[in-house]
Amino acid sequence: MRLISFALLTFLAAPVAHAAPTQEDVAAARLAYIEGDYDAALKVIQEGAEAGNAMALNILGAASLDGRGVAQDTDKAIEFFERAAKAGEVRGYFNLGTLFLEGSPPVEQDRARATREFQSAADQGYAPAMTALGRLQETAEPPNHKAAADWYEKGHKAGDVVGTTNLAHAYVQGIGRNENWIKARVLYTEAAARGYPRAFNDLGVIHEEGYGVHMDQLTAYSFFLQAVNAGYPKAGKNIAELILKARFPWSSKHAALGYCIWAVRTAPDAEKASFQEDCEALVTEINPDAAMRERAERFADQL
């Protein structure tokens, strides 16, 4: 009996091994992390990463790069992304490509490394990487627009909505593809059907200017409005200018000014100055008094 008791005590005193989080656990933690519940999410994600889970390693890379829930550390981010990629997470390659394309102190921009990482992801069929390779070709010195459009088409066929929209733009511009407004409209419509904000905006431009379709300011307004509702700043500026040009009976100058104010507020930092300049020109044209400015501000607050 004493032997049995001793064995039982020994068993109870032994450390209990915890099972590593399952893929479902990590996926749920990823959603919690996206929602901002960092503490609870990162506990599961870190345990998953320690066990070699590729998704968890990739999330830790993103967390380290952004400094959300953990200290910002670009070198650690690279390490986690590399480990994730080696463990089979294709987005690890893509995130490495994005990091080296943009640069993140103390890591400088490295387009050659970015190209290699995007290529590794594209080789595994990852559509956004194909589009990214197209963007690299388009922004090269000198640019290779034909190669860019080829990659956009690959991205489009693989299901990337940005690739679809960029390919449409190539047809609009006649750069990298022969100008073809019908193909462009079909591609923009496909991207818009998937909810891509820029596609709504560009369809608005097509209908406002009559590119390959009958000029239709009402349809243009509808597309710009959908882009605004989807949070696309440039559409705010475009709809403001259209309101003044078309003189719609249901809209007004204060609404035009409100859309422009919203566009400036929501524009990326790198583009704010350009948006501000365009809206100042609109203000000069409208010449609003204090009451109209106040109504426009309230209108912008509601968007």
Side-chain angles (χ1 to χ4, degrees):
M1 191 71 174
R2 292 179 62 188
L3 289 174
I4 294 174
S5 299
F6 179 77
L8 178 62
L9 288 172
T10 303
F11 171 78
L12 292 174
V16 178
H18 294 285
T22 65
Q23 189 72 4
E24 290 74 18
D25 293 334
V26 175
R30 173 180 175 273
L31 293 177
Y33 180 83
I34 292 172
E35 292 296 322
D37 188 3
Y38 300 138
D39 290 341
L42 284 171
K43 182 178 184 298
V44 175
I45 291 167
Q46 285 169 339
E47 289 177 357
E50 289 170 4
N53 182 284
M55 181 190 295
L57 288 164
N58 187 62
I59 299 168
L60 272 184
S64 299
L65 185 60
D66 296 335
R68 295 179 182 176
V70 297
Q72 198 286 329
D73 189 325
T74 302
D75 291 330
K76 276 191 176 180
I78 292 172
E79 177 188 343
F80 283 127
F81 288 146
E82 288 176 340
R83 289 173 61 191
K86 289 177 181 177
E89 174 57 80
V90 68
R91 285 173 294 189
Y93 288 115
F94 181 79
N95 288 337
L96 283 167
T98 302
L99 191 158
F100 282 103
L101 176 60
E102 298 174 353
S104 177
V107 176
E108 296 183 355
Q109 185 185 56
D110 185 342
R111 289 174 64 92
R113 173 76 186 271
T115 300
R116 292 196 299 272
E117 302 296 351
F118 286 140
Q119 187 67 62
S120 294
D123 288 344
Q124 296 182 48
Y126 192 58
M130 300 173 191
T131 300
L133 286 167
R135 185 61 181 156
L136 277 167
Q137 292 289 343
E138 189 173 4
T139 57
E141 292 292 344
N144 187 333
H145 294 294
K146 172 65 167 59
D150 288 346
W151 275 115
Y152 292 150
E153 185 154 6
K154 290 177 182 178
H156 157 64
K157 289 180 177 179
D160 183 52
V161 70
V162 180
T164 301
T165 307
N166 288 355
L167 180 61
H169 192 67
Y171 280 116
V172 167
Q173 297 293 318
I175 299 176
R177 289 289 185 272
N178 293 329
E179 183 180 299
N180 190 320
W181 287 100
I182 294 175
K183 285 187 176 181
R185 182 159 55 89
V186 168
L187 289 165
Y188 279 136
T189 301
E190 180 180 331
R194 295 174 61 189
Y196 189 52
R198 179 186 157 197
F200 287 119
N201 179 76
D202 291 357
L203 281 169
V205 173
I206 284 176
H207 284 84
E208 180 182 7
E209 302 297 336
Y211 294 144
V213 296
H214 292 296
M215 187 181 295
D216 188 337
Q217 293 177 326
L218 182 59
T219 299
Y221 179 92
S222 174
F223 279 123
F224 287 145
L225 185 59
Q226 290 179 81
V228 167
N229 290 338
Y232 191 65
K234 193 171 183 179
K237 182 174 70 70
N238 288 341
I239 201 171
E241 294 171 350
L242 178 61
I243 288 171
L244 294 183
K245 180 168 67 175
R247 299 173 184 252
F248 296 120
W250 67 84
S251 198
S252 62
K253 290 183 178 180
H254 89 269
L257 183 56
Y259 279 118
C260 222
I261 291 170
W262 173 85
V264 173
R265 289 178 182 174
T266 56
D269 290 341
E271 300 176 24
K272 277 190 186 295
S274 175
F275 275 74
Q276 185 68 51
E277 184 178 344
D278 289 340
C279 283
E280 285 174 358
L282 185 138
V283 168
T284 300
E285 181 177 350
I286 295 175
N287 191 26
D289 58 20
M292 182 184 290
R293 284 180 179 272
E294 184 177 350
R295 290 183 67 194
E297 290 283 352
R298 289 201 302 270
F299 183 89
D301 290 341
Q302 295 170 0
L303 293 175

